[in-house]
Amino acid sequence: MGTDENLKLLPLDDMHRAAGARFGGFAGWSMPITYPLGVMKEHLHTREKAGLFDISHMKLFDVSGSGAGDLLSHACPLDAGSLQHGQSKYTFFLNEQAGILDDLIVTRLGEEHFIVVANAGNAAGDEAHLRNLAKNFDCKIDALDHGFLAIQGPQAADVVRDAGIAGTELAFMNGFAPNPGWFMSRSGYTGEDGFEIGLPSGEARELATRLLADERVAWIGLAARDSLRLEAGLCLHGQDINPDIDPVDAGLTWAISKPVREKAVFIGARALLDKIAAGPGRKRVGLKPDGRQPVRSDSVLVDVDGNSIGLVTSGGFGPSAGHPVAMGYVGKHFAAVGTLIFAEVRGNRIQMHIHPLPFTPHRYHKG
């Protein structure tokens, strides 16, 4: 990751320092990893009340113009033109082999206006990819330099409403622009109900201050964000999905509708359709260690005879589940729930079973 001097600072870096955050490098940014509450309590606070996450490291692209929908329908396995105004959709940038360059959320704000939310670690590559493709379409791409906050948890909607912020009437996976230069969506990377609010950096401080004035709200760091999303069975690009993994093996083809497959105008369509026809060679699964010892990413998975059958891609302790949780890939013959397998950890074999995902139920607002 390099020295701290090379890391980009969040717009609200001083607020996190004042809150006692412990920092670490992530995707080129200096990020709050934990606050004095600690990862376990931060995690449980989000599940019980409302957690505030500074996600300004993520990238927002504003895509507009008469060719915006066609560009996105080519860049992603998505029919951008069929999205309702305000509808958000989980999708991907794929390469020609159908490998996942990044996973994204695309929201249609208007007839010729879309917002794309991309991961921090891929922001530069995504921007270059999108701009290169856009040469063939009549559209404009703005990489927004915004603050971006997420508030998540069962009390998030009440907090947002009580703070006088519009948007609590949004349905799950919808978004809109509540103010000029703002973008707000209702999705969530924790399995809980919640909102993401992108806004000019100068306005982010006032918003964060207003939300934190509510006693139900606490800052939550990257460590708890990771344990929350792992319990929710959600992928982290660069770990659980990457350019060598396609949506079929990852179990993400639900995000690609039948009409999109039939039109097949997106990059990687041929490879993806071949993969869907052939079926997965390996499968992304939940993994539950039988004991109390967490199993970390990159641990090799073996069968009862010691043959290598896969790899752990994310692992740790699940505070809400009350036991270690992990996710990874195994050969398709080992993917059935309840199958006994082992993880190799420092010369020891940790007994585990295939476990259904998610580990904790999703509580999105489907309302």
Side-chain angles (χ1 to χ4, degrees):
M1 189 54 74
T3 63
D4 284 352
E5 290 80 65
N6 298 333
L7 297 175
K8 289 181 274 196
L9 300 183
L10 297 170
L12 303 180
D13 179 78
D14 61 315
M15 281 187 82
H16 300 299
R17 291 189 186 281
R22 182 175 65 81
F23 288 81
F26 176 78
W29 291 80
S30 174
M31 294 293 294
I33 306 299
T34 55
Y35 296 87
L37 206 53
V39 61
M40 182 79 80
K41 288 181 178 171
E42 289 173 38
H43 177 114
L44 295 173
H45 184 96
T46 306
R47 291 261 186 260
E48 290 159 14
K49 295 180 182 177
L52 184 63
F53 302 77
D54 190 339
I55 55 170
S56 304
H57 61 306
M58 297 183 72
K59 198 68 192 175
L60 293 166
F61 298 106
D62 187 298
V63 184
S64 61
S66 61
D70 289 341
L71 165 65
L72 292 172
S73 299
H74 174 59
C76 309
L78 170 77
D79 183 357
S82 75
L83 294 179
Q84 302 295 312
H85 290 199
Q87 187 182 352
S88 303
K89 185 85 172 71
Y90 178 72
T91 188
F92 321 95
F93 285 150
L94 301 178
N95 60 24
E96 290 291 2
Q97 294 75 44
I100 301 171
L101 298 174
D102 201 6
D103 61 336
L104 318 155
I105 291 183
V106 173
T107 303
R108 187 175 199 174
L109 289 183
E111 192 59 34
E112 300 179 350
H113 188 197
F114 299 83
I115 292 277
V116 179
V117 180
N119 287 301
N122 303 319
D126 286 351
E127 183 173 356
H129 180 62
L130 206 49
R131 289 195 187 284
N132 184 49
L133 295 175
K135 290 173 187 170
N136 299 317
F137 297 88
D138 182 16
C139 64
K140 178 165 166 279
I141 295 163
D142 283 324
L144 304 178
D145 191 17
H146 270 29
F148 203 20
L149 298 171
I151 183 161
Q152 301 276 303
Q155 297 183 345
D158 289 340
V159 168
V160 169
R161 190 180 296 110
D162 292 350
I165 299 161
T168 52
E169 69 286 351
L170 285 173
F172 177 64
M173 291 303 280
N174 277 264
F176 79 129
N179 299 312
W182 285 46
F183 166 68
M184 184 171 178
S185 58
R186 190 171 199 165
S187 57
Y189 194 49
T190 58
E192 301 294 332
D193 181 27
F195 303 87
E196 301 76 35
I197 305 172
L199 69 174
S201 297
E203 297 177 55
R205 183 176 307 273
E206 192 273 331
L207 176 63
T209 303
R210 200 181 340 164
L211 293 171
L212 289 163
D214 191 311
E215 62 184 10
R216 295 169 289 188
V217 179
W219 277 126
I220 310 295
L222 212 56
R225 183 171 163 84
D226 198 50
S227 56
L228 288 158
R229 69 93 196 162
L230 177 51
E231 281 187 347
L234 301 173
C235 294
L236 175 61
H237 195 276
Q239 282 186 209
D240 309 295
I241 47 177
N242 61 47
D244 295 322
I245 294 171
D246 59 71
V248 179
D249 287 357
L252 297 173
T253 50
W254 56 265
I256 306 167
S257 71
K258 196 158 174 259
V260 166
R261 298 177 199 187
E262 286 166 355
K263 281 186 188 169
V265 296
F266 59 91
I267 293 169
R270 175 47 43 213
L272 184 74
L273 294 173
D274 288 348
K275 278 288 307 195
I276 289 171
R282 54 186 170 169
K283 286 191 172 182
R284 180 171 62 91
V285 293
L287 302 161
K288 181 182 180 290
D290 292 352
R292 302 297 292 172
Q293 183 181 347
V295 173
R296 304 296 175 187
S297 56
D298 295 330
S299 302
V300 172
L301 297 170
V302 298
D303 64 13
V304 290
D305 299 318
N307 302 307
S308 175
I309 59 163
L311 196 68
V312 176
T313 52
S314 286
F317 187 77
S320 304
H323 56 74
V325 293
M327 212 160 44
Y329 287 84
V330 296
K332 62 182 177 185
H333 302 301
F334 296 91
V337 168
T339 304
L340 170 67
I341 61 170
F342 301 85
E344 297 199 324
V345 179
R346 292 190 294 279
N348 296 321
R349 282 200 181 148
I350 307 288
Q351 187 169 296
M352 335 176 69
H353 283 85
I354 305 296
H355 190 280
L357 291 172
F359 291 96
T360 55
H362 291 167
R363 297 195 291 184
Y364 301 127
H365 175 74
K366 297 296 174 87

